[in-house]
Amino acid sequence: MTTSGSLTDGADSDADGSADAGRRGHRVTISDLARQLQISKASVSYALNGRAGVSDETRQRVLDLAEELGFHPNSAAVALSASRTRTIGIVIARDPTLISTEAFYMRTLVGIEQYLNEVDSSLLLRLTGENGEDLDVLRRWSRQGRVDGFVLFDEHQNDPRVPLLRELGVPCVVVSSNAPDDGVGRLISRPDETVTLLLDHLAELGHREIAHVSGPFHFIHEQLRVQLLREYAERRGITVRHVEGNYRYEDGAEHTRRLLAGPDRPTAIILGNDLMAVAALRVTTELGLDVPGEVSILAWDDSPLCELAGPGITAVDQQTMERGRAAADLLLRLAAGQEELHDEAPPGLLRVRTSSGPAHI
């Protein structure tokens, strides 16, 4: 069975958190290693377990410090021994047709499954409608003791799932863009990092009038994206027009057509996911406009669709498979009793392809 050093934190609540903990007789934890190396606990876990997600240099730094401090990772079974079912639950309240076509969910689920397979645990997945059916499933599975915790996606304002699971006393990890002190686990992404990657790239290419087709505004992560894009663009002398979409191919096509039909069309369009970006690329070429000569197309999320499109679409690789692994890892640690609720998701990486070029003036 694969060991998981990150699970040691849950089994070792008496660690005092300092880099010298091992020298003073306390068991050294993942937190000690991460704090001294100034990297995330997930990165330390990946390095200790020989998993992808960290550079060779970082991996060696982790291994060297672990040996120096006498760190001995427990088997994942140590944390799982606190688990009743060895199963985590995911309930997604979205249209199944969208789930099947959007790479974000599929790649995240693959990462979660890979991790759970390594620690001999399981995933219970349910796709429901968007009218509260997911709450019924969360409540039923919790009361039946079918899972030891849940990973939650697509947090929205006044999300009822979080208070429900707190009331039921069931651990959860929200894959989130914010970090409120609400007593639940959160794998926190950094939308400011993605915004910086996209805007710096466009600013270097001379773009000053751009558009952003987002996902639904009721999702908290989309609200943060819009807010940060506006603030960061203003600092760079860039004007952004925001349009609300729904992650669907048809939305990307319709909004792109409207944006390009006006007299003040943008020189670049950022689409909220890969599917809308592919649609935007197709519509742009159908209108007889050159990409990237007259309009640049970029995607917030990368996928094989972006890579295989013609031209290839510049996108941010959100490392969704690694984020899935990190979310599952954090949930197992919380189920084992770890008190530290938050961890950071791996940072995104800009994949520059031929769909972005100098601004057409």
Side-chain angles (χ1 to χ4, degrees):
M1 181 180 295
T2 304
T3 59
S4 180
S6 59
L7 298 176
T8 304
D9 282 336
D12 183 32
S13 59
D14 65 342
D16 65 7
S18 72
D20 294 325
R23 299 188 184 98
R24 293 199 297 270
H26 296 284
R27 177 180 295 171
V28 180
T29 71
I30 289 289
S31 293
D32 297 324
L33 300 180
R35 188 173 294 110
Q36 182 155 331
L37 293 171
Q38 297 185 332
I39 60 178
S40 70
K41 290 182 293 184
S43 295
V44 173
S45 177
Y46 298 157
L48 291 169
N49 291 290
R51 305 203 312 253
V54 294
S55 67
D56 291 341
E57 178 184 358
T58 298
R59 190 184 311 280
Q60 193 58 53
R61 289 174 60 213
V62 171
L63 295 175
D64 288 347
L65 183 60
E67 181 177 0
E68 176 186 342
L69 298 183
F71 173 79
H72 300 292
N74 291 343
S75 167
V78 172
L80 289 172
S81 66
S83 165
R84 297 167 298 168
T85 69
R86 304 170 72 93
T87 301
I88 70 171
I90 295 179
V91 184
I92 302 177
R94 300 293 296 277
D95 184 345
T97 59
L98 179 61
I99 300 294
S100 65
T101 55
E102 209 200 47
F104 170 82
Y105 290 105
M106 300 308 297
R107 292 169 69 85
T108 302
L109 291 173
V110 167
I112 290 173
E113 280 281 21
Q114 285 181 341
Y115 178 82
L116 294 177
N117 183 62
E118 292 173 5
V119 298
D120 193 25
S121 192
S122 302
L123 169 66
L124 192 58
L125 172 66
R126 177 69 56 86
L127 306 181
T128 75
E130 301 179 66
N131 298 310
E133 298 92 338
D134 57 328
L135 298 177
D136 295 333
V137 177
L138 292 173
R139 189 178 293 108
R140 185 168 63 253
W141 286 1
S142 298
R143 290 174 175 170
Q144 292 173 348
R146 301 183 65 181
V147 299
D148 296 311
F150 293 92
V151 175
L152 306 180
F153 298 100
D154 296 329
E155 184 181 20
H156 51 274
Q157 290 287 4
N158 302 316
D159 197 318
R161 298 173 297 173
V162 172
L164 172 63
L165 292 177
R166 289 183 61 186
E167 177 185 345
L168 294 170
V170 179
C172 70
V173 168
V174 184
V175 179
S176 173
S177 295
N178 61 336
D181 185 18
D182 56 3
V184 301
R186 289 179 177 273
L187 181 72
I188 303 165
S189 62
R190 296 284 303 275
D192 57 315
E193 293 178 345
T194 298
V195 168
T196 298
L197 288 172
L198 291 168
L199 290 180
D200 282 353
H201 178 62
L202 290 174
E204 289 172 3
L205 293 171
H207 292 273
R208 294 295 179 265
E209 300 284 340
I210 70 174
H212 170 226
V213 181
S214 74
F217 284 167
H218 64 264
F219 291 142
I220 290 177
H221 66 267
E222 289 293 354
Q223 296 172 18
L224 288 171
R225 290 180 185 185
V226 170
Q227 174 188 337
L228 291 169
L229 270 171
R230 182 181 295 112
E231 292 176 359
Y232 286 31
E234 184 177 354
R235 298 175 192 173
R236 292 163 173 79
I238 298 174
T239 301
V240 184
R241 276 182 282 167
H242 296 284
V243 181
E244 181 180 11
N246 198 31
Y247 299 129
R248 299 178 185 277
Y249 182 95
E250 295 78 10
D251 277 21
E254 177 184 354
H255 290 307
T256 299
R257 188 172 284 108
R258 290 179 179 176
L259 287 166
L260 297 180
D264 56 345
R265 71 186 186 213
T267 60
I269 305 176
I270 301 172
L271 288 302
N273 72 345
D274 56 328
L275 202 58
M276 291 198 296
V278 170
L281 179 62
R282 180 174 181 179
V283 166
T284 305
T285 55
E286 286 177 351
L287 292 174
L289 299 173
D290 181 68
V291 178
E294 294 175 276
V295 180
S296 290
I297 303 294
L298 303 91
W300 197 281
D301 295 328
D302 192 23
S303 79
L305 286 177
C306 295
E307 187 175 2
L308 296 173
I313 299 174
T314 294
V316 179
D317 178 358
Q318 302 289 355
Q319 300 197 68
T320 49
M321 290 178 63
E322 292 304 323
R323 291 188 182 197
R325 298 176 69 100
D329 181 77
L330 176 57
L331 181 56
L332 290 184
R333 286 188 268 127
L334 294 178
Q338 173 181 295
E339 295 184 1
E340 190 172 347
L341 295 171
H342 296 171
D343 208 347
E344 289 196 10
L349 305 169
L350 184 66
R351 305 296 185 191
V352 178
R353 302 188 179 100
T354 50
S355 72
S356 58
H360 178 70
I361 306 299

